[in-house]
Amino acid sequence: MTENAAGRAREMVEATYRSESRRVLATLIRLLGDFDLAEDALHDAFAAALEKWPKDGVPVKPRAWLVSAGRFKAIDTLRRRARYDASLETLALQLEADSRYVEPRESEGVEDDRLRLIFTCCHPALPPEARVALTLREVCGLTTEEIARAFLTAPPTLAQRIVRAKAKIKEARIPYQVPSRADLPDRLETVLQVVYLVFNEGYSASSGATLTRADLSGEAIRLGRLLLELLPEPEVSGLLALMLLHESRRVARTSPSGELILLDDQDRTLWNRGQIEEGLALVERALSSRRFGPYTLQAAIAAEHAKAQNGAATDWARIVGLYDLLVQANPSPVVELNRAVAVAMRDGPSAGLVLIDAILTRGDLDAYHLAHSARADLCRRLGKTVEARVSYQRALDLTQQETERRFLERRLAELPD
Amino acid sequence: MRYMLLIYFDEQDLSETERQECYVDSVQLARELNSSGRYLAANPLHPVSTATSVRVREGKRLVTDGPFAETREQLGGYFLIDAKDLDEAIGTAAKIPMVHKGTVEIRPVVEIPGLPTG
């Protein structure tokens, strides 16, 4: 092989790693039944490709080649370890027997493996923060350091979370499978929660100096697309639409100096039309299924904002109607708060204030800064300056997020004496 | 793979009729499990008022009245089952009568060599 061709083969290995490594890993986990063994096998397989492909040429079916190489590397590893633990020899023999009968197939089952991996990483028997970490690590291929940085966690803490989750998968035998039809709605909900959590952490970071961490949101949208491709359920469309519609406003949401800009004051020409178009189409698709849930309803609300030319042209009556449905589908004080704000836009600030005060009196949202800042805003519009000041101050005391703090301080300063 | 299903509930919150119904339904579940070879053992336990806790420290035996920990819900019974994986164990746990009032904790069993069988 010429020097040139060898170079191309090396580039091909790198390109294959970027596009196929998560698929190969998912299949190896199924074949080997062990996350760590599969990860080692994956790296060994790519190391072998770097050595062989420049010499022998790129195989016709690179993915099948990698799966097969990974499996044989894993058998070697088990054989080596069997010198210390005899039970591993049996496992190695089983794997070897398997590989004689089951030739890795190129297309069949590969996508199922990725879906299996998602459901295993998001299993409800794992603690929520471990589901997020494991999904980003195994499905998205982020490094432990990257995930730790994104969630402002010390890398050793995060690494330990992943180690514990993998140990539980192994010891409690959390299965590597797509749940049965009967369990699917509940289990899908857990998966969607993980994806949305990753998105939200990227979109409105819960603490820290900047408002968004774009990489995480991008990762969540990629996950959403993958999930929709593998499991075209209405709520998956709804969630992807919701994320795209929020993401479309990212640039308009903060000023060049990093200040928060509210929806009403945003420059709508900065909204990403491509993401809006895609989001709107997905919302329509989900709504027409008549099997939609809370994500689709939230996306439909975001779609109303996306469709409006400006704040005044927003169809608040329809938004309140969608919130009514959302309160039924997913009753929560935060949804009620958002509904109250929409009612204030439809019927005037005093109508909204009555609703917010009722929610706050119940005590559910007393520690939620957005409830107090929403109340403050309505008081301000009604000319109740003293009450507005108290509520802005309460909101300020409750948030750690720098950009939001600066926003609230600005609002406080703008109040007339 | 063997799983221990530990059944916790508030003993005070169970009438005699409910207890009897629970026994009948649990026996039914045990028979179902047995017919597919997944039943290993199951029993309700007498209330924690009958519990005795034992510790040996520095060679000295300490026997006290009452359960290991005073909690709002108490360990009231168990199923020991065979299941292919955690999802199957969760499926069985969801069929235990007391799951509607209390909580079933699923613990995978460590297999150690040398234990007598049967």
Side-chain angles (χ1 to χ4, degrees):
Chain A
M1 192 179 255
T2 66
E3 209 34 49
N4 231 341
R8 273 203 304 279
R10 268 193 297 276
E11 277 168 25
M12 187 66 190
V13 175
E14 280 164 32
T16 311
Y17 188 84
R18 280 193 300 275
S19 64
E20 302 288 354
S21 71
R22 294 300 109 188
R23 287 193 181 88
V24 175
L25 177 70
T27 300
L28 285 172
I29 293 174
R30 171 171 56 83
L31 295 173
L32 305 173
D34 185 296
F35 274 70
D36 291 326
L37 193 59
E39 273 169 43
D40 288 347
L42 177 76
H43 289 123
D44 289 345
F46 275 98
L50 264 182
E51 192 195 311
K52 294 258 166 66
W53 295 7
K55 270 192 293 187
D56 309 341
V58 177
V60 188
K61 296 175 174 175
R63 186 158 72 210
W65 188 97
L66 287 160
V67 168
S68 174
R71 192 210 306 252
F72 284 114
K73 293 285 180 189
I75 295 170
D76 287 349
T77 307
L78 287 173
R79 283 264 150 75
R80 271 198 312 280
R81 290 187 202 160
R83 275 179 235 154
Y84 310 98
D85 180 350
S87 67
L88 293 174
E89 179 61 30
T90 326
L91 197 57
L93 281 172
Q94 273 169 11
L95 279 173
E96 217 168 33
D98 264 1
S99 60
R100 277 195 210 110
Y101 298 112
V102 196
E103 274 301 303
R105 280 156 298 201
E106 177 69 357
S107 56
E108 193 184 319
V110 169
E111 296 306 341
D112 290 347
D113 285 336
R114 286 211 292 180
L115 195 56
R116 280 188 192 103
L117 183 57
I118 293 173
F119 276 107
T120 304
C121 292
C122 297
H123 199 282
L126 298 171
E129 63 282 6
R131 288 176 215 158
V132 171
L134 206 58
T135 304
L136 289 173
R137 177 84 194 78
E138 308 299 328
V139 183
C140 304
L142 266 59
T143 65
T144 306
E145 288 71 25
E146 284 168 334
I147 306 166
R149 214 179 306 126
F151 285 90
L152 306 175
T153 313
T157 312
L158 199 107
Q160 198 179 36
R161 215 172 267 171
I162 292 177
V163 167
R164 284 207 186 119
K166 283 183 187 166
K168 181 161 186 188
I169 290 172
K170 201 168 176 172
E171 279 151 19
R173 203 176 285 176
I174 291 178
Y176 194 61
Q177 68 191 18
V178 176
S180 65
R181 271 270 143 216
D183 291 342
L184 193 62
D186 281 351
R187 294 286 306 279
L188 181 60
E189 199 179 305
T190 316
V191 172
L192 297 180
Q193 260 169 21
V194 167
V195 177
Y196 197 40
L197 215 125
V198 172
F199 179 81
N200 273 332
E201 194 58 31
Y203 193 69
S204 54
S206 52
S207 56
T210 54
L211 194 62
T212 64
R213 286 195 281 265
D215 291 356
L216 273 185
S217 297
E219 213 53 69
I221 289 172
R222 257 194 296 283
L223 260 176
R225 286 190 201 288
L226 172 66
L227 204 56
L228 185 63
E229 183 191 317
L230 300 175
L231 197 70
E233 285 286 312
E235 274 292 85
V236 182
S237 292
L239 175 59
L240 181 56
L242 178 63
M243 295 191 294
L244 286 166
L245 290 169
H246 277 307
E247 185 67 15
S248 73
R249 300 184 213 136
R250 178 182 292 280
V251 182
R253 225 171 138 237
T254 43
S255 71
S257 58
E259 302 302 316
L260 178 67
I261 302 173
L262 291 187
L263 186 63
D264 216 20
D265 305 321
Q266 288 174 13
D267 176 357
R268 297 187 181 215
T269 60
L270 293 177
W271 289 2
N272 184 318
R273 299 316 306 181
Q275 286 170 333
I276 289 177
E277 294 308 320
E278 194 187 350
L280 292 179
L282 287 163
V283 174
E284 282 310 312
R285 184 168 139 189
L287 284 174
S288 63
S289 75
R290 309 238 152 245
R291 288 192 296 125
F292 54 82
Y295 289 112
T296 303
L297 285 168
Q298 291 176 76
I301 291 165
E304 286 305 317
H305 292 299
K307 281 189 276 191
Q309 293 296 323
N310 51 56
T314 310
D315 186 348
W316 289 105
R318 182 165 159 84
I319 291 181
V320 172
L322 288 164
Y323 272 120
D324 288 342
L325 290 175
L326 189 57
V327 169
Q328 283 171 29
N330 190 26
S332 95
V334 173
V335 174
E336 280 183 58
L337 173 69
N338 291 331
R339 183 181 171 277
V341 173
V343 168
M345 294 306 289
R346 187 189 62 180
D347 304 337
S350 34
L353 189 58
V354 172
L355 294 174
I356 292 184
D357 280 341
I359 298 166
L360 282 172
T361 309
R362 291 203 318 252
D364 294 339
L365 293 183
D366 201 44
Y368 187 54
H369 71 280
L370 292 179
H372 295 282
S373 67
R375 182 177 192 281
D377 194 50
L378 295 184
C379 289
R380 178 183 60 81
R381 280 155 60 192
L382 288 166
K384 298 180 171 186
T385 311
V386 179
E387 284 189 57
R389 192 179 304 281
V390 172
S391 289
Y392 276 131
Q393 190 56 52
R394 179 97 178 98
L396 194 57
D397 294 342
L398 288 169
T399 180
Q400 306 305 316
Q401 220 283 324
E402 267 311 309
T403 318
E404 299 214 16
R405 289 186 64 86
R406 284 203 303 275
F407 171 80
L408 290 166
E409 279 161 1
R410 215 163 58 232
R411 276 287 155 104
L412 258 177
E414 281 165 10
L415 281 180
D417 289 323
Chain B
M1 170 122 181
R2 295 195 289 169
Y3 293 88
M4 184 65 129
L5 312 183
L6 301 162
I7 306 158
Y8 290 88
F9 55 89
D10 182 355
E11 296 174 348
Q12 307 303 321
D13 190 29
L14 193 66
S15 71
E16 193 45 42
T17 327
E18 283 176 311
R19 183 182 302 281
Q20 290 307 326
E21 276 171 17
C22 171
Y23 289 170
V24 173
D25 293 346
S26 297
V27 168
Q28 180 60 36
L29 175 61
R31 287 191 175 164
E32 260 175 57
L33 290 168
N34 197 40
S35 66
S36 56
R38 291 178 293 148
Y39 173 82
L40 296 167
N43 278 113
L45 302 175
H46 281 294
V48 284
S49 58
T50 65
T52 306
S53 296
V54 184
R55 283 171 292 172
V56 175
R57 295 290 182 274
E58 287 151 12
K60 194 168 150 37
R61 185 189 293 175
L62 299 157
V63 178
T64 48
D65 167 54
F68 164 66
E70 297 282 356
T71 47
R72 208 174 53 77
E73 299 194 313
Q74 299 83 28
L75 180 62
Y78 70 91
F79 272 79
L80 183 63
I81 62 160
D82 230 329
K84 113 173 124 49
D85 55 40
L86 185 63
D87 281 0
E88 197 176 292
I90 292 173
T92 302
K95 288 186 192 153
I96 293 177
M98 285 314 291
V99 81
H100 297 280
K101 293 198 90 159
T103 306
V104 178
E105 178 178 321
I106 304 173
R107 300 283 293 270
V109 169
V110 179
E111 304 293 346
I112 54 172
L115 291 174
T117 49

